[in-house]
């Protein structure tokens, strides 16, 4: 285990029980994998949410994907040419059926409340951008080799990312993240399988998951996921002004999360390269940063907030 003993930063690679400033965090890495529901799940999901499911196939022809019903719409009936969800579908459940790997959009942008469910849905080089409250993204298979994000969540509440399979290869020369969330209250990541291959040279950031919380009362839950993360081992840089280390290769990062629950995850972090000028190269598996982050009117002493991590 490598632990960085900075005032507000603690970093972990494995094993042991550590108590650090912040709220209670349970972090359990287990080898048990939870199987996600497939097939007919979307029917129950739609019924429980009191909305009728709308089926989408690549071209609206059920004979081409073998899954969608005859009533299926094509992708562009629900999304613009730029991949933006059309306003008329807010609050609905959209079920994506079959193969979308030839889809000619780089982004699918969700700016309205909606549930997106995959039934054998496969995408390639498409980034999902979520900027609305009350969004679910479930049971998709996404391969990303052409962008800096696979899923990007920004400034919203009640977002669930569940049961997805994400395979991402980081772009050379760019900060790259399979899942990046900024300022999302009540973010849930559950039962996902994320494979991430980094290629930083020590000048750009590679994180399979990075969650940054700007709200003092923000809640984040990461449970029962499987992570297979490969990162180059690179030198640890330092900030010229603060002399604090700059870590370019961290598997998973939680920054300023006020209420953080991490449990039941299977996390593997390994080296796929070694790039060093000084012999001080390293890899960080899981980083929990800035646990004394507080809102403007929050008078709590961070020393009174226990964080227990079982790794």
């Amino acid at each position: 285990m490598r632990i960085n003993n900075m005032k507000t930063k603690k970093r972990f690679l494995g094993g042991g029980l550590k108590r650090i400033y912040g709220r209670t965090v349970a972090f359990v890495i287990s080898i048990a994998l939870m199987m996600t529901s497939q097939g007919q799940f979307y029917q129950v999901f739609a019924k429980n949410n009191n909305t009728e499911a709308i089926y989408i196939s690549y071209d609206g022809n059920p004979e081409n994907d073998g899954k969608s019903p005859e009533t299926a719409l094509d992708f562009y009936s629900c999304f613009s040419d730029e991949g933006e969800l059309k306003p008329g579908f807010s609050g609905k459940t959209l079920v994506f059926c079959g193969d979308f790997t030839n889809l000619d959009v780089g982004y699918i942008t969700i700016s309205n409340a909606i549930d997106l469910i995959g039934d054998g849905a496969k995408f390639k080089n498409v980034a999902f951008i979520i900027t609305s409250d009350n969004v679910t993204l479930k049971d998709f298979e996404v391969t990303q080799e052409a962008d800096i994000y696979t899923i990007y969540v920004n400034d919203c509440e009640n977002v669930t990312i569940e049961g997805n399979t994400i395979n991402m290869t980081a772009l050379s020369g760019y900060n790259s993240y399979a899942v990046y969330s900024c300022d999302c209250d009540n973010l849930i990541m559950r039962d996902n399988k994320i494979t991430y291959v980094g290629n930083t040279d020590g000048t750009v950031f590679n994180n399979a998951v990075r969650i940054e919380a700007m709200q003092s009362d923000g809640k984040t839950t990461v449970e029962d996921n499987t992570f297979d993360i490969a990162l180059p081992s690179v030198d640890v840089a330092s900030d010229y002004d603060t002399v604090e280390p700059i870590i370019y290769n961290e598997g998973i990062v939680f920054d300023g999360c006020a209420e953080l629950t991490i449990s039941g995850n299977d996390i593997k972090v390994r080296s796929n390269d070694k790039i060093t000028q000084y012999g001080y190269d390293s890899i960080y598996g899981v980083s929990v940063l800035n646990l004394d982050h507080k809102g403007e009117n929050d008078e709590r002493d961070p020393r009174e907030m226990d964080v227990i991590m079982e790794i």
Side-chain angles (χ1 to χ4, degrees):
M1 175 188 293
R2 177 181 294 274
I3 300 179
N4 221 351
N5 290 312
M6 294 181 288
K7 181 177 180 182
T8 62
K9 300 186 178 182
K10 297 291 183 288
R11 304 175 187 271
F12 299 86
L13 269 177
L17 179 65
K18 298 297 173 185
R19 183 178 297 275
I20 54 181
Y21 293 164
R23 291 189 177 183
T24 300
V25 178
F27 188 174
V28 181
I29 299 178
S30 69
I31 60 174
L33 304 181
M34 294 189 65
M35 301 302 293
T36 59
S37 300
Q38 300 289 340
Q40 301 302 311
F41 173 83
Y42 54 81
Q43 294 179 351
V44 178
F45 189 94
K47 181 178 179 180
N48 289 343
N49 285 274
N50 297 317
T51 181
E52 182 179 353
I54 298 172
Y55 300 88
I56 303 175
S57 65
Y58 173 65
D59 59 3
N61 187 347
E63 295 181 0
N64 291 339
D65 60 59
K67 286 186 173 289
S68 57
E70 294 183 359
T71 56
L73 303 175
D74 70 289
F75 178 83
Y76 294 103
S77 295
C78 304
F79 294 83
S80 71
D81 292 342
E82 291 75 33
E84 297 179 355
L85 179 66
K86 295 181 179 180
F89 294 94
S90 178
K92 304 293 185 179
T93 295
L94 300 186
V95 180
F96 290 75
C97 304
D99 192 343
F100 291 81
T101 55
N102 292 322
L103 196 64
D104 191 23
V105 298
Y107 306 93
I108 292 179
T109 303
I110 308 300
S111 54
N112 297 283
I114 198 164
D115 299 319
L116 305 181
I117 311 298
D119 183 12
K122 297 181 179 181
F123 289 80
K124 183 174 182 180
N125 295 335
V126 174
F128 290 82
I129 312 298
I130 300 173
T131 60
S132 172
D133 299 344
N134 305 314
V135 172
T136 295
L137 184 69
K138 179 177 174 64
D139 291 341
F140 287 80
E141 180 179 333
V142 187
T143 299
Q144 181 60 270
E145 302 169 340
D147 210 315
I148 62 173
Y149 308 113
T150 303
I151 299 175
Y152 174 62
V153 182
N154 183 53
D155 191 20
C156 48
E157 299 179 356
N158 305 322
V159 173
T160 299
I161 301 169
E162 183 174 0
N164 302 287
T165 299
I166 298 172
N167 299 292
M168 180 170 185
T169 300
L171 285 183
S172 178
Y174 293 90
N175 301 337
S176 296
Y177 316 92
V179 178
Y180 185 102
S181 174
C182 182
D183 199 16
C184 178
D185 183 16
N186 195 25
L187 172 68
I188 298 173
M189 288 185 59
R190 179 187 297 124
D191 289 335
N192 301 286
K193 182 177 181 180
I194 298 177
T195 301
Y196 180 90
V197 179
N199 60 11
T200 181
D201 60 358
T203 63
V204 295
F205 293 97
N206 278 185
N207 307 139
V209 175
R210 187 176 190 93
I211 299 175
E212 298 180 353
M214 305 302 177
Q215 305 181 53
S216 62
D217 59 348
K219 183 177 180 180
T220 303
T221 302
V222 178
E223 60 186 11
D224 301 322
N225 302 282
T226 302
F227 299 96
D228 186 355
I229 304 168
L231 298 169
S233 182
V234 300
D235 289 329
V236 177
S238 62
D239 186 285
Y240 287 107
D241 296 324
T242 65
V243 198
E244 290 191 352
I246 301 174
I247 313 301
Y248 289 102
N249 54 345
E250 300 165 289
I252 301 173
V253 180
F254 302 98
D255 190 352
C257 299
E259 293 187 38
L260 177 59
T261 300
I262 313 172
S263 66
N265 299 283
D266 181 1
I267 302 177
K268 298 181 178 66
V269 182
R270 55 189 169 83
S271 172
N272 62 356
D273 200 356
K274 181 182 177 73
I275 303 172
T276 180
Q277 294 182 355
Y278 312 108
Y280 297 109
D281 61 293
S282 184
I283 293 175
Y284 290 83
V286 179
S287 296
V288 180
L289 314 177
N290 298 315
L291 292 174
D292 57 358
H293 167 78
K294 300 188 298 179
E296 190 175 316
N297 300 317
D298 193 340
E299 298 179 354
R300 293 168 298 178
D301 187 333
R303 289 172 294 182
E304 297 175 354
M305 305 180 201
D306 286 339
V307 171
I308 299 175
M309 301 185 69
E310 298 178 3
I311 302 178

